[in-house]
Amino acid sequence: MAVDNTKTLADWQAKAASLSFETRAFINGEFVAAVAGSTLTSINPATGSVLAEVASCDALDAERATQAARATFESGVWSRCHPSKRKRVLLRLADLVETHRDELALLDTLDMGKPISSSLGDLAGTVVCLRYQAECIDKLYGEVAPTGENALGLVLREPMGVVAAIVPWNFPLMMTSWKIAPALAAGNSVILKPSEKSPLSALRLAHLAQEAGIPDGVFQVLPGYGHTVGKALALSMQVDCLAFTGSTAVGKQLMQYAGQSNLKRVFLECGGKSPNIVFADCQHLDAVAQSAAEAIFHNQGEVCIAGSRLLVENSIRKDFVARVVKAAEHMQPGDPLDPGSFMGAMVDEAQYLRVLDYIRQGKSEGATLTLEGEANHSQGYFLSPTIFDDLTPDMRIGREEIFGPVLSVFGFDSEEQAIALANDSDFGLAAGVWSQDIDRIMRVSRRLQSGQVYVNNWAGIDQTVPFGGVKQSGNGRDKSLHAQEKYCEVKTVWMSLSV
């Protein structure tokens, strides 16, 4: 889907002024207030203004939704319908999302502060994900086991049942599609819990899902807080699978809730502190520096796979860091509705203050402040790029996920040292390797403890390959055929034959 770059700041401001927001939960085919009547306030982080009061669901709403999801799943209206029907409906949903892309992108930009150009890119990825998973429906086959002549062994893939998807605020609709598209394609009933910081696009998506023909109870949306409705879904005996993207701390809680309830499957895509390794033999240093800056400062640094640890061979480090600084100086935050803004606003005051605290921590730890970002809270929550050099492995800013526009630079002298530095982390979500030596590329890529390794690029992936982490970055995989497979149960059917 081509991204429309013709609209101006004035165009987006006018469109924003004309928007209306769906604020009700979507349960069993109806838009309803939360049972308790509670609401949460959605705030535009670029202006501090209130966008809407959104239904804030809790355990009572979760109970209603899980009962509807279970009943609908057992009815077979979606779970046992012909695969071609599910395919047609999901392709129709993809078409509707594409038709309403400007509106949906604008909702994410207003809700969490990301630049409209970034949101439009997310929408393009959302449409691709929906179409890819829809097309996979009739291309995943069962198996026939190798048996003797007196038996037939079948390996079947069947939908799990009720899937609860808890998604983050940094890529609201795209992360939603990564969860719900394969889960729905496999025939499950899905309950979506969007982040309380960015619920608006998910609620609009519910309208489109209904229009596309997804049956009542098959797809539901429960806005609210993690400690209320999120916890209720995780503890529910009616939920068979929990899919989550967010912090490692919350991921650990969800695994505990699964153990306290029905041992539901838990698929987690959690935090990251991703190493981006630049060897001295890499070419086109200006282009590599540009990519290294984009890897951390894109989306205000609020990215799980942000290249937040830059590891540079010492023989080129000072020169290379200077190039990164030069690139970062052109990546300043601006009005999220301006298509020319590279960065927008931090999602809220809490995240803004959290990042500022890490910057103070970096200064006190003795790292070299190579580029000091400016903080602007005259209206919204804006932070410009910050770069620290000369880090040591014990420094907090080089070990903990900051989730903001802060880059930590380490030096190394050998391949072995680079690998050791890269793997010296609790996380293992992504890693980058920049080199012209193919032997080195293969050696290092195999030894990096990471769910994905980008070679001479950062985040250059599409729907055909899986996405996920190792260690405390989680388990399970989004995207690709592997995503749809994980939302299926594998059943063995053993038939005795008369010979």
Side-chain angles (χ1 to χ4, degrees):
M1 182 175 75
V3 175
D4 181 4
N5 294 317
T6 63
K7 290 185 175 64
T8 66
L9 171 60
D11 293 330
W12 288 111
Q13 288 173 332
K15 191 169 182 65
S18 68
L19 273 183
S20 60
F21 305 115
E22 177 57 72
T23 61
R24 299 166 295 175
F26 183 60
I27 300 176
N28 200 21
E30 296 182 345
F31 288 91
V32 295
V35 171
S38 302
T39 62
L40 57 88
T41 303
S42 176
I43 295 177
N44 183 341
T47 64
S49 61
V50 174
L51 293 169
E53 294 293 331
V54 179
S56 183
C57 296
D58 60 20
L60 294 174
D61 305 281
E63 179 65 19
R64 290 179 60 197
T66 54
Q67 287 181 358
R70 175 60 58 193
T72 306
F73 179 79
E74 297 297 341
S75 76
V77 64
W78 184 256
S79 59
R80 296 197 302 273
C81 76
H82 197 282
S84 63
K85 179 180 178 181
R86 292 202 301 272
K87 179 178 177 177
R88 286 195 302 271
V89 171
L90 289 181
L91 288 174
R92 173 63 176 154
L93 177 58
D95 291 343
L96 288 168
V97 170
E98 184 170 30
T99 298
H100 294 272
R101 62 182 180 179
D102 285 2
E103 176 191 0
L104 293 165
L106 190 53
L107 288 173
D108 281 351
T109 286
L110 294 175
D111 218 5
M112 62 80 52
K114 70 192 306 165
I116 188 64
S117 57
S118 178
S119 293
L120 287 169
D122 295 352
L123 261 294
T126 298
V127 172
V128 169
C129 178
L130 288 166
R131 287 183 176 148
Y132 180 91
Q133 293 297 336
E135 290 291 353
C136 289
I137 289 174
D138 54 10
K139 297 174 182 65
L140 279 173
Y141 287 76
E143 304 164 26
V144 178
T147 66
E149 293 183 355
N150 63 342
L152 177 64
L154 302 179
V155 181
L156 308 179
R157 291 187 179 88
E158 298 180 344
M160 283 187 171
V162 177
V163 174
I166 301 177
V167 299
W169 46 261
N170 57 333
F171 294 90
L173 203 54
M174 190 171 75
M175 292 292 100
T176 289
S177 72
W178 286 15
K179 306 298 186 190
I180 71 167
L184 289 171
N188 297 285
S189 293
V190 177
I191 302 170
L192 172 66
K193 206 295 280 185
S195 170
E196 66 276 9
K197 299 180 182 183
S198 57
L200 297 179
S201 63
L203 293 170
R204 183 67 180 101
L205 181 66
H207 282 277
L208 301 181
Q210 191 172 50
E211 184 179 345
I214 294 180
D216 294 348
V218 170
F219 177 63
Q220 303 176 85
V221 182
L222 301 182
Y225 293 98
H227 64 274
T228 55
V229 68
K231 180 179 179 179
L233 291 171
L235 287 169
S236 173
M237 300 295 287
Q238 294 295 325
V239 173
D240 302 293
C241 173
L242 189 64
F244 170 76
T245 293
S247 72
T248 297
V250 174
K252 291 179 179 181
Q253 286 183 323
L254 296 178
M255 293 191 77
Q256 292 177 18
Y257 295 151
Q260 293 168 18
S261 53
N262 59 347
L263 288 178
K264 58 178 63 65
R265 308 288 178 85
V266 182
F267 298 123
L268 304 174
E269 194 263 277
C270 297
K273 193 70 176 178
S274 299
N276 200 7
I277 308 170
V278 180
F279 288 96
D281 69 340
C282 72
Q283 298 178 357
H284 312 297
L285 288 183
D286 283 336
V288 178
Q290 178 75 21
S291 179
E294 292 176 356
I296 175 60
F297 301 127
H298 169 64
N299 207 51
Q300 307 77 245
E302 297 168 327
V303 184
C304 57
I305 60 167
S308 54
R309 288 192 294 150
L310 180 61
L311 281 54
V312 188
E313 195 163 351
N314 279 322
S315 61
I316 65 167
R317 180 162 61 95
K318 292 303 180 184
D319 173 64
F320 186 77
V321 171
R323 295 171 192 252
V324 175
V325 169
K326 182 179 179 180
E329 288 173 343
H330 297 284
M331 297 179 180
Q332 300 303 308
D335 189 331
L337 294 178
D338 185 347
S341 295
F342 181 83
M343 293 200 302
M346 305 300 293
V347 69
D348 63 10
E349 183 179 30
Q351 186 64 18
Y352 172 82
L353 294 175
R354 180 176 187 269
V355 177
L356 287 178
D357 184 62
Y358 271 108
I359 293 173
R360 286 190 289 269
Q361 180 73 26
K363 293 177 182 178
S364 68
E365 288 179 319
T368 300
L369 187 60
T370 306
L371 177 64
E372 183 168 11
E374 295 183 1
N376 181 357
H377 185 26
S378 58
Q379 285 185 309
Y381 306 106
F382 293 92
L383 287 174
S384 57
T386 293
I387 299 176
F388 286 100
D389 196 358
D390 300 310
L391 265 79
T392 56
D394 59 316
M395 293 181 178
R396 280 184 59 200
I397 60 167
R399 301 198 66 84
E400 299 177 12
E401 185 176 41
I402 298 174
F403 226 62
V406 181
L407 177 63
S408 300
V409 183
F410 297 79
F412 66 87
D413 293 307
S414 68
E415 184 178 304
E416 284 296 322
Q417 187 183 9
I419 294 169
L421 278 170
N423 289 339
D424 183 18
S425 174
D426 293 333
F427 303 105
L429 188 55
V433 179
W434 298 83
S435 173
Q436 303 307 122
D437 185 337
I438 188 62
D439 293 336
R440 166 179 282 161
I441 286 169
M442 293 307 300
R443 286 194 305 268
V444 174
S445 296
R446 286 179 177 274
R447 292 183 59 189
L448 290 175
Q449 298 166 0
S450 177
Q452 45 260 315
V453 178
Y454 310 121
V455 176
N456 293 331
N457 73 91
W458 188 265
I461 53 177
D462 64 18
Q463 284 294 321
T464 61
V465 291
F467 180 98
V470 298
K471 298 197 285 189
Q472 292 190 44
S473 288
N475 59 70
R477 293 297 181 264
D478 291 320
K479 309 200 310 183
S480 81
L481 294 174
H482 295 281
Q484 198 165 137
E485 287 177 336
K486 82 179 184 184
Y487 294 111
C488 295
E489 295 284 10
V490 175
K491 175 186 286 185
T492 296
V493 176
W494 188 271
M495 301 172 62
S496 296
L497 305 176
S498 299
V499 180

